[in-house]
mmCIF file of all heavy atoms in Angstrom:
data_model
loop_
_atom_site.group_PDB
_atom_site.id
_atom_site.type_symbol
_atom_site.label_atom_id
_atom_site.label_comp_id
_atom_site.label_asym_id
_atom_site.label_seq_id
_atom_site.Cartn_x
_atom_site.Cartn_y
_atom_site.Cartn_z
ATOM 1 N N VAL J 161 -2.453 7.500 -11.372
ATOM 2 C CA VAL J 161 -1.726 6.970 -12.522
ATOM 3 C C VAL J 161 -0.658 7.958 -12.984
ATOM 4 O O VAL J 161 0.487 7.569 -13.277
ATOM 5 C CB VAL J 161 -2.705 6.642 -13.666
ATOM 6 C CG1 VAL J 161 -1.945 6.338 -14.957
ATOM 7 C CG2 VAL J 161 -3.583 5.453 -13.291
ATOM 8 N N ILE J 162 -0.999 9.237 -13.065
ATOM 9 C CA ILE J 162 -0.026 10.246 -13.485
ATOM 10 C C ILE J 162 1.125 10.324 -12.492
ATOM 11 O O ILE J 162 2.306 10.396 -12.875
ATOM 12 C CB ILE J 162 -0.717 11.620 -13.627
ATOM 13 C CG1 ILE J 162 -1.721 11.586 -14.782
ATOM 14 C CG2 ILE J 162 0.309 12.730 -13.844
ATOM 15 C CD1 ILE J 162 -2.591 12.820 -14.873
ATOM 16 N N ASN J 163 0.796 10.290 -11.203
ATOM 17 C CA ASN J 163 1.843 10.316 -10.182
ATOM 18 C C ASN J 163 2.734 9.080 -10.279
ATOM 19 O O ASN J 163 3.963 9.167 -10.141
ATOM 20 C CB ASN J 163 1.202 10.391 -8.795
ATOM 21 C CG ASN J 163 2.230 10.547 -7.676
ATOM 22 O OD1 ASN J 163 2.919 11.555 -7.581
ATOM 23 N ND2 ASN J 163 2.323 9.541 -6.819
ATOM 24 N N GLY J 164 2.134 7.926 -10.555
ATOM 25 C CA GLY J 164 2.907 6.701 -10.720
ATOM 26 C C GLY J 164 3.824 6.765 -11.928
ATOM 27 O O GLY J 164 4.967 6.289 -11.885
ATOM 28 N N ALA J 165 3.331 7.349 -13.035
ATOM 29 C CA ALA J 165 4.166 7.496 -14.231
ATOM 30 C C ALA J 165 5.351 8.416 -13.946
ATOM 31 O O ALA J 165 6.480 8.159 -14.399
ATOM 32 C CB ALA J 165 3.329 8.037 -15.387
ATOM 33 N N CYS J 166 5.102 9.490 -13.198
ATOM 34 C CA CYS J 166 6.205 10.397 -12.820
ATOM 35 C C CYS J 166 7.213 9.671 -11.940
ATOM 36 O O CYS J 166 8.429 9.871 -12.079
ATOM 37 C CB CYS J 166 5.645 11.620 -12.093
ATOM 38 S SG CYS J 166 4.661 12.723 -13.127
ATOM 39 N N TYR J 167 6.726 8.829 -11.039
ATOM 40 C CA TYR J 167 7.631 8.069 -10.177
ATOM 41 C C TYR J 167 8.500 7.125 -10.987
ATOM 42 O O TYR J 167 9.714 7.024 -10.753
ATOM 43 C CB TYR J 167 6.823 7.291 -9.141
ATOM 44 C CG TYR J 167 7.642 6.295 -8.350
ATOM 45 C CD1 TYR J 167 8.436 6.726 -7.285
ATOM 46 C CD2 TYR J 167 7.639 4.942 -8.681
ATOM 47 C CE1 TYR J 167 9.202 5.827 -6.567
ATOM 48 C CE2 TYR J 167 8.407 4.045 -7.971
ATOM 49 C CZ TYR J 167 9.186 4.483 -6.915
ATOM 50 O OH TYR J 167 9.951 3.582 -6.217
ATOM 51 N N LEU J 168 7.900 6.430 -11.956
ATOM 52 C CA LEU J 168 8.676 5.516 -12.788
ATOM 53 C C LEU J 168 9.737 6.269 -13.587
ATOM 54 O O LEU J 168 10.890 5.840 -13.665
ATOM 55 C CB LEU J 168 7.744 4.758 -13.734
ATOM 56 C CG LEU J 168 6.886 3.653 -13.126
ATOM 57 C CD1 LEU J 168 5.919 3.098 -14.163
ATOM 58 C CD2 LEU J 168 7.758 2.531 -12.559
ATOM 59 N N ALA J 169 9.341 7.401 -14.181
ATOM 60 C CA ALA J 169 10.287 8.181 -14.977
ATOM 61 C C ALA J 169 11.430 8.705 -14.109
ATOM 62 O O ALA J 169 12.607 8.630 -14.496
ATOM 63 C CB ALA J 169 9.559 9.343 -15.658
ATOM 64 N N TRP J 170 11.103 9.211 -12.934
ATOM 65 C CA TRP J 170 12.142 9.748 -12.047
ATOM 66 C C TRP J 170 13.052 8.633 -11.535
ATOM 67 O O TRP J 170 14.273 8.812 -11.454
ATOM 68 C CB TRP J 170 11.494 10.480 -10.880
ATOM 69 C CG TRP J 170 12.493 11.018 -9.901
ATOM 70 C CD1 TRP J 170 13.196 12.186 -9.991
ATOM 71 C CD2 TRP J 170 12.919 10.395 -8.684
ATOM 72 N NE1 TRP J 170 14.025 12.333 -8.912
ATOM 73 C CE2 TRP J 170 13.879 11.261 -8.094
ATOM 74 C CE3 TRP J 170 12.582 9.207 -8.027
ATOM 75 C CZ2 TRP J 170 14.493 10.949 -6.877
ATOM 76 C CZ3 TRP J 170 13.191 8.913 -6.829
ATOM 77 C CH2 TRP J 170 14.135 9.768 -6.272
ATOM 78 N N SER J 171 12.477 7.485 -11.196
ATOM 79 C CA SER J 171 13.275 6.374 -10.669
ATOM 80 C C SER J 171 14.243 5.833 -11.719
ATOM 81 O O SER J 171 15.371 5.452 -11.401
ATOM 82 C CB SER J 171 12.357 5.254 -10.177
ATOM 83 O OG SER J 171 11.563 5.688 -9.093
ATOM 84 N N LEU J 172 13.797 5.809 -12.972
ATOM 85 C CA LEU J 172 14.682 5.361 -14.035
ATOM 86 C C LEU J 172 15.779 6.389 -14.309
ATOM 87 O O LEU J 172 16.949 6.035 -14.491
ATOM 88 C CB LEU J 172 13.879 5.087 -15.310
ATOM 89 C CG LEU J 172 12.939 3.872 -15.258
ATOM 90 C CD1 LEU J 172 12.066 3.834 -16.503
ATOM 91 C CD2 LEU J 172 13.742 2.576 -15.115
ATOM 92 N N ALA J 173 15.396 7.664 -14.331
ATOM 93 C CA ALA J 173 16.373 8.719 -14.614
ATOM 94 C C ALA J 173 17.407 8.845 -13.501
ATOM 95 O O ALA J 173 18.587 9.101 -13.763
ATOM 96 C CB ALA J 173 15.657 10.052 -14.822
ATOM 97 N N SER J 174 16.984 8.671 -12.259
ATOM 98 C CA SER J 174 17.894 8.800 -11.118
ATOM 99 C C SER J 174 18.589 7.485 -10.763
ATOM 100 O O SER J 174 19.368 7.432 -9.817
ATOM 101 C CB SER J 174 17.129 9.309 -9.896
ATOM 102 O OG SER J 174 16.151 8.363 -9.475
ATOM 103 N N ARG J 175 18.252 6.412 -11.513
ATOM 104 C CA ARG J 175 18.812 5.078 -11.293
ATOM 105 C C ARG J 175 18.422 4.514 -9.917
ATOM 106 O O ARG J 175 19.150 3.714 -9.340
ATOM 107 C CB ARG J 175 20.336 5.083 -11.452
ATOM 108 C CG ARG J 175 20.804 5.506 -12.828
ATOM 109 C CD ARG J 175 22.311 5.390 -12.960
ATOM 110 N NE ARG J 175 22.761 4.014 -12.817
ATOM 111 C CZ ARG J 175 22.734 3.112 -13.785
ATOM 112 N NH1 ARG J 175 22.262 3.448 -14.981
ATOM 113 N NH2 ARG J 175 23.171 1.880 -13.577
ATOM 114 N N ARG J 176 17.279 4.949 -9.418
ATOM 115 C CA ARG J 176 16.811 4.450 -8.128
ATOM 116 C C ARG J 176 16.531 2.959 -8.196
ATOM 117 O O ARG J 176 16.873 2.215 -7.269
ATOM 118 C CB ARG J 176 15.554 5.216 -7.704
ATOM 119 C CG ARG J 176 14.827 4.603 -6.491
ATOM 120 C CD ARG J 176 13.630 5.447 -6.093
ATOM 121 N NE ARG J 176 12.756 4.739 -5.192
ATOM 122 C CZ ARG J 176 12.955 4.583 -3.885
ATOM 123 N NH1 ARG J 176 14.047 5.082 -3.333
ATOM 124 N NH2 ARG J 176 12.093 3.938 -3.137
ATOM 125 N N PHE J 177 15.889 2.505 -9.280
ATOM 126 C CA PHE J 177 15.594 1.085 -9.406
ATOM 127 C C PHE J 177 16.865 0.249 -9.388
ATOM 128 O O PHE J 177 16.953 -0.772 -8.703
ATOM 129 C CB PHE J 177 14.824 0.820 -10.705
ATOM 130 C CG PHE J 177 13.368 1.156 -10.612
ATOM 131 C CD1 PHE J 177 12.731 1.837 -11.638
ATOM 132 C CD2 PHE J 177 12.612 0.797 -9.507
ATOM 133 C CE1 PHE J 177 11.386 2.153 -11.559
ATOM 134 C CE2 PHE J 177 11.266 1.110 -9.412
ATOM 135 C CZ PHE J 177 10.661 1.795 -10.457
#
Side-chain angles (χ1 to χ4, degrees):
V161 169
I162 294 172
N163 185 66
C166 292
Y167 170 80
L168 286 174
W170 178 83
S171 296
L172 291 172
S174 65
R175 299 184 63 81
R176 169 178 166 79
F177 281 136

